[in-house]
């Protein structure tokens, strides 16, 4: 079992290498291989989410980040990334709730917790009536989804 665990981590690390090179399709292929070996591997799901986020496909990113947190509710990086993506989409209420969740579970990363607190302050300053109206204009009333991806 130990060899198999190390192997899926090695495959995941290869995905990270491609992710860092900006070769997102290849990164996703390696992350998916890691998931084939370990279906409940939140790091690989988060890696796929990051690849979509970097391609400004926030909807797909959110889906993978949420799957990561469903598998491991203490997986702090996914909570942080959910906050960031929702901030990019100007969905400040969700961004705030995800950053708050990150702060609640993210004690092992003190500098990240401080950054999340800074983001909460940023969100508070950006959530003015003017930006709330702009957000309302971008939101499809029937689905509640923001019509554009990351900006």
């Amino acid at each position: 079992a130990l060899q198999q665990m190390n192997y899926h981590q090695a495959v995941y690390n290869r995905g990270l290498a491609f992710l860092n090179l900006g070769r997102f399709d290849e990164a996703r292929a390696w992350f998916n291989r890691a998931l084939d070996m370990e279906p409940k591997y939140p790091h690989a799901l988060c890696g796929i989410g990051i690849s979509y986020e970097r391609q400004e496909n926030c909807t797909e990113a959110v889906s993978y980040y949420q799957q990561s947190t469903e598998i491991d509710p203490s997986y702090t990086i996914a909570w942080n990334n959910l906050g960031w993506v929702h901030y990019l989409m100007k969905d400040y209420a969700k961004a705030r709730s995800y950053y708050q969740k990150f702060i609640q579970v993210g004690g092992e990363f003190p500098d990240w917790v401080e950054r999340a607190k800074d983001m909460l302050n940023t969100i508070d300053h950006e959530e003015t009536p003017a930006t709330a109206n702009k957000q309302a204009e971008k939101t499809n009333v029937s689905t509640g989804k923001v019509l554009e991806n990351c900006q």
Side-chain angles (χ1 to χ4, degrees):
L2 182 60
Q3 288 176 330
Q4 185 178 12
M5 182 179 79
N6 290 337
Y7 190 65
H8 80 266
Q9 289 174 338
V11 169
Y12 164 78
N13 287 339
R14 189 154 233 189
L16 283 180
F18 282 107
L19 182 69
N20 290 328
L21 292 171
R23 293 165 62 178
F24 303 118
D25 291 336
E26 290 165 281
R28 282 191 289 270
W30 284 101
F31 292 140
N32 278 310
R33 286 181 188 148
L35 287 168
D36 288 341
M37 291 176 235
E38 183 62 45
K40 293 189 176 194
Y41 191 34
H43 296 58
L45 289 165
C46 194
I48 294 170
I50 292 168
S51 74
Y52 281 119
E53 178 185 328
R54 290 192 183 164
Q55 290 183 302
E56 298 184 356
N57 186 339
C58 288
T59 304
E60 285 296 316
V62 165
S63 172
Y64 283 95
Y65 295 152
Q66 286 176 330
Q67 289 177 60
S68 294
T69 62
E70 289 166 11
I71 290 170
D72 183 358
S74 67
Y75 187 41
T76 53
I77 293 169
W79 291 114
N80 178 73
N81 292 357
L82 280 164
W84 175 247
V85 170
H86 282 90
Y87 174 79
L88 291 174
M89 293 189 300
K90 299 192 184 310
D91 186 343
Y92 298 128
K94 283 186 180 178
R96 176 183 289 107
S97 72
Y98 287 125
Y99 277 123
Q100 288 169 337
K101 181 67 174 179
F102 168 76
I103 290 167
Q104 179 186 355
V105 298
E108 74 268 25
F109 299 113
D111 42 338
W112 282 40
V113 169
E114 287 307 310
R115 192 180 74 188
K117 289 177 182 176
D118 290 342
M119 286 304 299
L120 287 172
N121 288 332
T122 300
I123 290 166
D124 288 340
H125 287 99
E126 290 192 25
E127 251 186 346
T128 62
T131 57
N133 289 336
K134 288 179 187 174
Q135 175 67 17
E137 291 169 11
K138 292 180 188 175
T139 303
N140 181 325
V141 176
S142 64
T143 63
K145 293 184 179 177
V146 176
L147 298 175
E148 59 191 44
N149 286 328
C150 302
Q151 299 181 359

